[in-house]
Every structure is written in C-alpha cells, then in structure tokens.
Amino acid sequence: MRALVLSGMALIAATYGLARFGYGLFLPRFTEAFPMGSAVSGLIQAGSFLSFCLAAVLASRLAARPRLVVVCAGATAALGSAGVAVAPTVVVLAGSVVLAGAGAGFATPGLVTLIERDIVPARQERAQTVVNAGTGAGIVTAGVLMLLTTEQWRLGWAAMAALVVLATLATLRADRSVHRAQAPEPPPRVRARDLASLARPIAAAALAGASSAAVWTFGRTVLATSRTGEEAYSIGAWMVLGAFGVLGATAGTIVQVWSLRAAWHLTVGAMAVSTVVLGAAPGSPLAAYVSVAVFGAGYTALCGVLILWATRVVPERASAGTAALFIALAVGQAAGAVLLGVLMGSTSPVLTFAVAGLIGVLAVVPAARHRPGTPSPGRTAALSRTGVEETRD
C-alpha cells in the first residue's frame, strides 16, 4: 500500500504541480521570451485545461486498463514539458503546454482505479486524498526548480520532464494488481444517465474551477509585478501555496468527521476569500502569503472532496465519476482563464480577482441543494468496518 500511495503522490506532483500548474509559475518568464499578453496567456492556459478534459474522457473509456492510463499520463506530461523546454516560438510553447496539461487528465482516473484494485476498501478514502495531495508537493518542487534555474527556465522544464518519467515508472512498479493471476472484469460501459446523480456536484466543480483560474494563471504574475525586482518574493509565495496544499490530504478526515457538504463549503469558501485578498494586496507579505497558503490548502482539499464525492455517490463507477467531476473543474478553469485574462488586460488585478472570488462563492449553491440517494450496501459495509458513518450530504 505505502509504495503505491507514495509513487501515486509523486505522479500527481509531477503531472499536476509541475507539468500542469508550472505554467502559471513560469508565466512571467514566458512573457519575457515570447510576445504574449494577458489575453493570449489566458487562452494558452485554457487550452491546457481543455486538453485535461479530453484526456480525462479518454481515461474513463480505458478504465479497465489503468496501467495504460498511467503510461499515457507520463508520456503526455513528459513530452509536453520537454516541448516547453525547447520551444522556439509562442506557437510551439502553446502546443507543448496544452500537451503537458493532458497528463493530469490521465493521472487521476488511472490512480483512482489502481488504488481501488490494490488497497482494501477500509483504507481507500484515506489513500485517495493522500495521493491527491501530491499537487502541493509538485508546486513546491516547481518553485525550487525556478530558483535553481533562475534565468535558464528551459532547464527547469527539462528537469520536469525527467521527474515525470521517474514518477511514472515508480507507479507502474508499485502496482501489485499486475501480478494477479486473473485480470479483473472490465467495468460496464458508462452512459450519461449513469452519472445523473452527479449533476449538482458537476455544476459546483465547474464554478469552483472558474474561480481558481485567477490564482493558477495570474497569481504569480500579480505577486511579481507588485514587487518589481524581488522575484524571490513571488516564487516563495508560490512555494508556500504548494507546501500548504499538502494539507489537502486532510480532506478525507474532514468528510468523515463532518460531511461532504460541510467539507465543500469550507474548501470553496476558503479559496474564494483567499483569491480576493491576494488580488487586493499582492504586495503585502502577510496578506499575500496567508492568502496563498489558504488557497493551496483549500484547492487541494477541494479536489480530494471531489474524489470522495464521486466514490460515494457512484461507487460502482468511481473512476468515471471522478473523471466527470475533474472534467467539470477543468472546463470551469478554461472558461475562467479566458474571462479573467480579458479582465486582467482591460481592467485591474483587484477587480479580476474579486470577480473570481464571487464565482467561488456561487460554487456553494449547487452543493447546498444536493440530495444524493441511498448509499450502496457494499460501500456502507466497507465504511462500517472502519467505524466511519456514511454521510451523503
């Protein structure tokens, strides 16, 4: 169990924290090297989020072959990162960022299935949220690479590609299901109506994603411009964001002690408030660092809550349900990146981040009215063995 959890966490760190969210960290460097304004920057980020969606859809269709899905995650993230490292033009840069973003879309569904196969039901929820917290570790690693490579940002992305490959190989090695004599039966084909009970969570995820796009795309930029010539300030803030993102591993505990609804309200509310504070006072060390810390913990925990939401509402189709919620999150991020990119270019960071915060507040509404059905007998029995009551609200 431990080997798969650690290697899975490393794969999430590499595909999310490095290959996917590294774009926002390195954006000030990209704008120096290539002719691209806020609108173009937002469009490139939107393309990355949409490639995530396409990868997640494909991953759901390959749910019976999680090892292949993990290979796809590593291949797309590594090739995309390598492409960024050698990009001669903004067009090649954009295509490489989009390809790198697909890696995360493959990673989560593949790991959800591997954990279900390799780990006993009583420990799966905890394992899922711990693996998901790898995003924060990856963001910290990206910050370290940024500091080490300084002006040589291409070296940083080459290192990212290498780390993705290593994490992928470690995950495949840790998977014990490959050694079983009999392969598991492929899951039934998932149709749209099979996930109908996730309609409100999907809406909530999309709104939360749109809100988060402000920090993921322009957070480092507003921090850097608020203190010109003090790059360590903005990179340090990004690393704080990642370090506190590791706290997202507590999402499983929050859900078990309180409820899914309470956990969602807490994480979304924390993200919305911290986004507004960062946009209003990016140059204030206390306000900025506290806000990115809260955002990092809130976002990673939010993703963990989405995984648990899917596994509890549609336990027989957990991988497909998780993919659906993460696709909704990414679609929201894509739309948010475009909208907020236009606002950044025509208004101010304060207004842009305030709008993002308002969208985050709206993400509470669908969850507040969500009334999932009766838990499945298998899932209830699995949780009862651990003394955890199944809460479906």
Side-chain angles (χ1 to χ4, degrees), residues 19-83:
R20 188 183 184 204
F21 292 133
Y23 173 77
L25 172 64
F26 283 80
L27 183 56
R29 285 283 181 267
F30 295 153
T31 55
E32 292 173 359
F34 303 102
M36 48 191 291
S38 297
V40 173
S41 300
L43 285 172
I44 294 175
Q45 184 75 303
S48 174
F49 291 143
L50 290 177
S51 71
F52 173 98
C53 298
L54 293 175
V57 170
L58 180 57
S60 66
R61 293 181 177 275
L62 297 173
R65 305 178 65 185
R67 289 177 62 84
L68 175 60
V69 175
V70 168
V71 170
C72 290
T76 51
L79 290 174
S81 298

Side-chain angles (χ1 to χ4, degrees), residues 170-182:
T171 301
L172 294 173
R173 182 181 177 86
D175 173 34
R176 291 179 293 181
S177 65
V178 71
H179 301 299
R180 294 173 185 164
Q182 184 177 3

Side-chain angles (χ1 to χ4, degrees), residues 156-250:
W157 280 84
M160 289 183 190
L163 291 173
V164 170
V165 172
L166 291 175
T168 303
L169 294 175
T171 301
L172 294 173
R173 182 181 177 86
D175 173 34
R176 291 179 293 181
S177 65
V178 71
H179 301 299
R180 294 173 185 164
Q182 184 177 3
E185 295 182 4
R189 184 182 181 88
V190 178
R191 293 163 295 186
R193 66 171 177 264
D194 296 328
L195 303 178
S197 55
L198 289 174
R200 289 189 181 277
I202 285 173
L207 289 169
S211 175
S212 72
V215 174
W216 287 129
T217 307
F218 302 110
R220 227 278 276 185
T221 298
V222 298
L223 286 163
T225 55
S226 68
R227 289 187 166 227
T228 306
E230 299 180 30
E231 190 169 43
Y233 170 77
S234 58
I235 296 175
W238 195 262
M239 293 172 69
V240 168
L241 187 158
F244 277 81
V246 177
L247 294 177
T250 62

Side-chain angles (χ1 to χ4, degrees), residues 77-342:
L79 290 174
S81 298
V84 172
V86 300
T89 65
V90 68
V91 174
V92 176
L93 173 73
S96 299
V97 169
V98 170
L99 180 61
F106 284 113
T108 295
L111 288 170
V112 165
T113 303
L114 286 184
I115 288 173
E116 287 182 334
R117 290 186 179 186
D118 287 16
I119 297 176
V120 296
R123 298 182 179 180
Q124 284 179 12
E125 287 198 345
R126 176 63 175 167
Q128 298 284 15
T129 52
V130 170
V131 167
N132 177 69
T135 300
I139 292 171
V140 173
T141 303
V144 172
L145 289 175
M146 184 76 175
L147 290 173
L148 292 177
T149 56
T150 56
E151 300 296 326
Q152 301 298 320
W153 57 266
R154 294 179 185 275
L155 292 177
W157 280 84
M160 289 183 190
L163 291 173
V164 170
V165 172
L166 291 175
T168 303
L169 294 175
T171 301
L172 294 173
R173 182 181 177 86
D175 173 34
R176 291 179 293 181
S177 65
V178 71
H179 301 299
R180 294 173 185 164
Q182 184 177 3
E185 295 182 4
R189 184 182 181 88
V190 178
R191 293 163 295 186
R193 66 171 177 264
D194 296 328
L195 303 178
S197 55
L198 289 174
R200 289 189 181 277
I202 285 173
L207 289 169
S211 175
S212 72
V215 174
W216 287 129
T217 307
F218 302 110
R220 227 278 276 185
T221 298
V222 298
L223 286 163
T225 55
S226 68
R227 289 187 166 227
T228 306
E230 299 180 30
E231 190 169 43
Y233 170 77
S234 58
I235 296 175
W238 195 262
M239 293 172 69
V240 168
L241 187 158
F244 277 81
V246 177
L247 294 177
T250 62
T253 302
I254 295 173
V255 170
Q256 291 171 357
V257 174
W258 294 345
S259 67
L260 278 167
R261 181 187 298 159
W264 180 260
H265 290 178
L266 175 63
T267 54
V268 171
M271 275 178 48
V273 172
S274 61
T275 297
V276 174
V277 172
L278 180 61
S284 169
L286 179 60
Y289 274 57
V290 170
S291 64
V292 295
V294 172
F295 178 89
Y299 181 85
T300 309
L302 176 146
C303 292
V305 172
L306 289 178
I307 293 173
L308 300 186
W309 216 337
T311 57
R312 290 190 176 193
V313 176
V314 286
E316 298 82 6
R317 299 173 178 82
S319 180
T322 299
L325 293 185
F326 274 66
I327 287 170
L329 184 73
V331 168
Q333 288 172 326
V338 174
L339 170 64
L340 299 173
V342 172

